């Protein structure tokens, strides 16, 4: 209810400012123009959305696979941690604008460079939260596993990995949102379809309402993915949302 | 029964019972602090526990009781002196049950953890079958599929105790197992533990600050001094079981232990 009221208030303010304010409508379209573009361009938006969603989905899966492997390797080996962790952080500071043309030169205009960009942006939050989750296991529990003769790997498999799942989901929730930004930038750097490509074209042709309609679709997609992850987590890990350790 | 030897400076094992499952002789252990000198947790600590004996260690907070258990469980090594102990399973104060697993799987963890080590292969089904049998032996069968949050604190400690038994170690190290429970549940659990040990006799080192618990459960009570910890007095509890907390002899021994603590 409060969410709806806030959204309506923001939209109302935007509408008034766009209609009555000093800004030209080709710079800032009013919500009703954006809504009209959403309706008129729906098939155009949908076909571009499917390619962007594909890039985001596959990029996220690639990021997840790389993150799980990296987090496990870093968790097990202090040497890998010292060697790789600084590089991971450094990788996040390379601007997409610098990386993208190179990837396009290497991998062409197809989906491959987009997947790489989305994956490079997304794996970082997943690795960092996953490592925190793995390290956050109660030291007493690790001691208990040692007295039960558990190997390092058994402790990981039976205790540490399950404990880190809630952290993994937190990382994934951050990742889906930055994945959307990554996909748009990737498409900016050379593509023939996708919502990022559509935004770029629409802005060049001063079709601002269409660009904003594409933004609305992207935002709705990010919110939906975020909500879906939250629901899945509550289903899969109900124990993570209870207060634990309360003795009665 | 395999043994573990941690050789320190002064070997005075010959004064102790060599066949005993737990021999702690002249042990000192300190912990480094970030600033200043380390904390000396134990100094010149001697204790031996015979096969099948239940020894309670009581003492004020911070007398190195937990340090003692970590040494006996092989989780750390003494700075000086010797610790010789048969393989020991630890039962911590907080039950440490895995919140995502059922009571059955939490008990079975003791068997599954070991799988793959020492040429032991235990399938999940085998581990569950053995865990279920033991839970049922302790009348916990109906809780097998409950998750920890659905169990009361006392029930969780019972499951944790079954897990400790399933580790299959000759020695049990119980670290204030009922310290976090309310008074009534704690009394229930003390009687339950005494009965459980009659059914499944083990060599037990029970660390507690509840003197009554010590007298009700143990064959012998070792009273440990304030830090650095050392055994100040040992009190034999030569009473038949089951013991009643209202028994005047229990009350008298409790009183003696309290006086030794001061």
């Amino acid at each position: 209810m409060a969410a709806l009221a806030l959204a309506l208030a923001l939209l109302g303010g935007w509408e008034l400012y766009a209609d009555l304010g000093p800004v030209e409508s080709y710079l800032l379209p009013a919500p009703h123009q954006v809504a009209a573009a959403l309706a008129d361009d729906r098939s155009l938006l949908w076909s571009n959305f499917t390619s962007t969603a594909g890039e985001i989905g596959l990029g996220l899966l690639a990021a997840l696979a790389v993150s799980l492997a990296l987090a496990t390797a870093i968790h097990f080996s202090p040497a890998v941690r010292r060697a790789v962790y600084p590089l991971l952080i450094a990788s996040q500071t390379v601007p997409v604008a610098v990386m993208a043309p190179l990837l396009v030169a290497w991998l062409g205009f197809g989906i491959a460079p987009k997947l790489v960009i989305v994956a490079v942006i997304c794996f970082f939050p997943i690795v960092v939260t996953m490592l925190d989750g793995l390290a956050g296991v109660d030291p007493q529990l690790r001691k208990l596993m040692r007295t039960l003769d558990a190997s390092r790997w058994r402790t990981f498999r039976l205790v540490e990995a399950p404990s880190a799942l809630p952290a993994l989901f937190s990382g994934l929730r951050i990742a889906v949102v930055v994945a959307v930004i990554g996909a748009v930038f990737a498409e900016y750097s050379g593509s023939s379809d996708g919502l990022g490509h559509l935004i770029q074209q629409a802005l060049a042709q001063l079709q601002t309402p269409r660009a904003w309609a594409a933004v609305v679709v992207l935002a709705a997609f990010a919110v939906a993915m975020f909500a879906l992850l939250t629901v899945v987590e509550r289903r899969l890990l109900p124990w993570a949302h209870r207060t634990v350790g309360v003795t009665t | 029964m395999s043994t573990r030897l941690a050789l320190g400076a002064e070997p005075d094992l010959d004064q102790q019972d060599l066949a005993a499952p737990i021999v702690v002789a002249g042990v000192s252990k300190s912990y480094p602090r970030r600033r200043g000198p380390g904390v000396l947790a134990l100094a010149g600590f001697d204790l031996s526990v015979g096969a099948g004996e239940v020894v309670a260690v009581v003492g004020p907070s911070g007398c190195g009781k937990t340090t003692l258990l970590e040494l006996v469980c092989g989780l750390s090594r003494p700075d000086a002196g010797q610790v010789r102990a048969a393989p020991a399973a630890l039962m911590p104060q907080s039950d440490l049950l895995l919140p995502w697993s059922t009571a059955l799987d939490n008990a079975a963890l003791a068997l599954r953890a070991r799988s793959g080590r020492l040429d032991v292969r235990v399938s999940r089904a085998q581990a569950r079958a053995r865990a279920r049998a033991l839970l049922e032996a302790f009348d916990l069968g109906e809780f097998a599929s409950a998750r920890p949050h659905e169990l009361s604190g006392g029930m969780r400690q019972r499951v944790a105790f079954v897990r400790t038994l399933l580790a299959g170690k000759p020695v049990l190290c119980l670290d204030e197992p009922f310290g976090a429970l309310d008074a009534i549940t704690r009394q229930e659990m003390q009687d339950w533990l005494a009965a459980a040990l009659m059914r499944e006799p083990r060599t037990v080192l029970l660390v507690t600050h509840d003197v009554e618990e010590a007298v009700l459960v143990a064959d012998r009570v070792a009273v440990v001094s304030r830090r650095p910890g050392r055994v100040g007095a040992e009190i034999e509890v030569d009473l038949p079981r089951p013991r009643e907390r209202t028994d005047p002899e229990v009350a008298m021994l409790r009183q003696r232990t309290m006086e030794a603590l001061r």
Side-chain angles (χ1 to χ4, degrees), chain A residues 27-98:
Chain A
L27 290 179
L28 181 69
H32 75 267
Q33 293 170 293
V34 177
L38 270 173
D40 296 344
D41 299 336
R42 59 185 179 277
S43 63
L44 182 70
L45 287 165
W46 176 256
S47 69
N48 283 294
F49 166 73
T50 52
S51 41
T52 303
E55 291 159 16
I56 292 172
L58 291 174
L60 272 171
L61 284 181
L64 184 62
V66 172
S67 307
L68 293 182
L70 264 176
T72 307
I74 291 175
H75 180 67
F76 270 87
S77 162
V80 173
R81 177 184 294 266
R82 281 192 301 273
V84 173
Y85 219 153
L87 293 179
L88 293 191
I89 299 163
S91 76
Q92 296 305 297
T93 63
V94 179
V96 174
V98 175

Side-chain angles (χ1 to χ4, degrees), chain A residues 138 140-141 143-152 154 157-160 162-163 239 242-248, chain B residues 70 73-75 88 90 92 96 98-100 109-110 112-115 117 124 149 152-153 156 163 167 169 180 182:
Chain A
D138 187 344
Q140 293 296 322
L141 201 45
K143 281 183 186 166
L144 179 76
M145 290 304 280
R146 275 173 65 193
T147 70
L148 295 176
D149 300 327
S151 62
R152 188 80 179 72
R154 273 320 251 180
R157 160 79 186 71
L158 295 173
V159 171
E160 291 174 333
S163 313
W239 52 269
R242 271 183 223 114
T243 326
V244 285
V246 183
T247 38
T248 46
Chain B
E70 292 197 348
C73 289
L75 291 168
L90 179 69
L96 294 180
L98 304 176
W100 56 84
L109 180 74
R112 297 192 62 210
R114 226 178 336 153
S115 185
R117 270 268 173 111
R124 185 192 289 233
H149 76 276
S152 67
R156 285 211 290 268
R163 177 184 64 194
K169 306 289 178 82
D182 64 82

Side-chain angles (χ1 to χ4, degrees), chain A:
Chain A
M1 215 44 218
L4 190 65
L6 180 63
L8 284 177
L10 286 172
L11 275 177
W14 177 2
E15 181 74 52
L16 284 174
Y17 181 74
D19 291 342
L20 309 170
V23 178
E24 298 291 345
S25 75
Y26 67 84
L27 290 179
L28 181 69
H32 75 267
Q33 293 170 293
V34 177
L38 270 173
D40 296 344
D41 299 336
R42 59 185 179 277
S43 63
L44 182 70
L45 287 165
W46 176 256
S47 69
N48 283 294
F49 166 73
T50 52
S51 41
T52 303
E55 291 159 16
I56 292 172
L58 291 174
L60 272 171
L61 284 181
L64 184 62
V66 172
S67 307
L68 293 182
L70 264 176
T72 307
I74 291 175
H75 180 67
F76 270 87
S77 162
V80 173
R81 177 184 294 266
R82 281 192 301 273
V84 173
Y85 219 153
L87 293 179
L88 293 191
I89 299 163
S91 76
Q92 296 305 297
T93 63
V94 179
V96 174
V98 175
M99 186 166 41
L102 193 59
L103 287 171
V104 171
W106 282 340
L107 302 170
F109 281 87
I111 194 172
K114 284 95 178 175
L115 292 191
V116 172
I117 288 173
V118 170
V120 163
I121 291 182
C122 289
F123 88 97
F124 189 69
I126 304 178
V127 168
V128 172
T129 51
M130 181 86 187
L131 281 175
D132 280 354
L134 289 171
V137 171
D138 187 344
Q140 293 296 322
L141 201 45
R142 284 212 183 84
K143 281 183 186 166
L144 179 76
M145 290 304 280
R146 275 173 65 193
T147 70
L148 295 176
D149 300 327
S151 62
R152 188 80 179 72
W153 175 254
R154 273 320 251 180
T155 303
F156 178 78
R157 160 79 186 71
L158 295 173
V159 171
E160 291 174 333
S163 313
L165 285 176
L168 174 67
F169 269 93
S170 299
L172 275 174
R173 279 200 293 263
I174 301 171
V176 291
V177 176
V178 294
V180 172
I181 306 171
V184 167
F185 273 117
E187 288 169 0
Y188 257 55
S189 314
S191 69
S192 49
D193 57 359
L195 288 172
H197 173 72
L198 185 71
I199 291 171
Q200 197 179 25
Q201 277 195 330
L203 288 177
Q205 295 162 7
L206 297 185
Q207 290 171 317
T208 330
R210 177 180 289 173
W212 280 93
V215 170
V216 168
V217 172
L218 286 170
F221 182 57
V223 172
M225 296 270 279
F226 193 95
L228 179 70
L229 278 172
T230 307
V231 170
V232 168
E233 189 197 354
R234 288 194 172 258
R235 274 288 166 80
L236 290 182
L237 316 172
W239 52 269
H241 300 280
R242 271 183 223 114
T243 326
V244 285
V246 183
T247 38
T248 46

Side-chain angles (χ1 to χ4, degrees), chain B residues 126 165 239:
Chain B
Q126 286 170 321
L165 285 180
L239 300 176

